């Protein structure tokens, strides 16, 4: 079974930090792009950032300079380090694995709540 499982979400004060983890299993994802998305209540899913298999990264303007994506291919994991969190970052965060054709696998999501 191919699975992506997110963890590390929770409640944090504005200005704080969280690190989200995404554990992949079922096959290696070392040559896939790994992405992070989020969906706030009442809003559509939005792109947060991605990391390619050659470790290039790209971020949405809303998180640029605050969020960083890392990956550990030996552990088949990808991380989203979130710093200087804002209330508008509150959302369910999803990791995804993709190719040139699109995003092929999705995790179940982990909730992040940023309070004032």
């Amino acid at each position: 079974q191919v699975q992506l499982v997110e963890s590390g979400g929770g409640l944090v004060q504005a200005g704080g930090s969280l690190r989200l983890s995404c554990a992949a299993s079922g096959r290696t994802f070392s040559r896939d792009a790994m992405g992070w998305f989020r969906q706030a209540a009442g809003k559509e899913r939005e792109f947060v950032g991605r990391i390619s298999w050659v470790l290039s990264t790209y971020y949405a303007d809303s998180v640029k300079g605050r969020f960083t994506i890392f990956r550990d291919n030996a552990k088949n994991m990808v991380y989203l380090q979130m710093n200087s969190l804002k209330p508008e970052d509150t959302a369910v965060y999803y990791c995804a694995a993709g190719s040139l054709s699109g995003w092929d696998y999705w995790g179940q999501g982990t909730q992040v709540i940023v309070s004032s």
Side-chain angles (χ1 to χ4, degrees), residues 8-11 18 20 39 90-93 109-113:
L11 176 65
L18 281 175
L20 305 184
Q39 186 168 24
T90 296
V92 176
Y93 283 72
T110 185
Q111 176 73 247
V112 172
I113 300 174

Side-chain angles (χ1 to χ4, degrees), residues 6-115:
E6 302 95 335
S7 62
L11 176 65
V12 64
Q13 294 286 328
S17 297
L18 281 175
R19 178 178 288 187
L20 305 184
S21 299
C22 176
S25 61
R27 70 169 180 87
T28 180
F29 288 85
S30 61
R31 292 203 174 192
D32 290 79
M34 302 297 295
W36 286 94
F37 296 78
R38 66 188 183 187
Q39 186 168 24
K43 299 181 67 176
E44 294 184 349
R45 182 190 66 191
E46 67 174 341
F47 170 78
V48 174
R50 68 171 185 263
I51 183 167
S52 75
W53 75 278
V54 293
L55 306 182
S56 63
T57 55
Y58 181 79
Y59 302 94
D61 287 342
S62 59
V63 307
K64 197 173 299 180
R66 299 188 297 119
F67 291 11
T68 305
I69 298 173
F70 304 94
R71 67 192 300 169
D72 185 341
N73 288 337
K75 295 182 177 180
N76 224 19
M77 296 189 70
V78 63
Y79 307 91
L80 179 66
Q81 178 66 47
M82 304 185 293
N83 299 326
S84 302
L85 283 162
K86 304 174 181 179
E88 52 262 45
D89 295 319
T90 296
V92 176
Y93 283 72
Y94 300 89
C95 67
S99 67
L100 292 175
S101 299
W103 299 103
D104 302 313
Y105 302 99
W106 294 86
Q108 84 290 347
T110 185
Q111 176 73 247
V112 172
I113 300 174
V114 184
S115 65

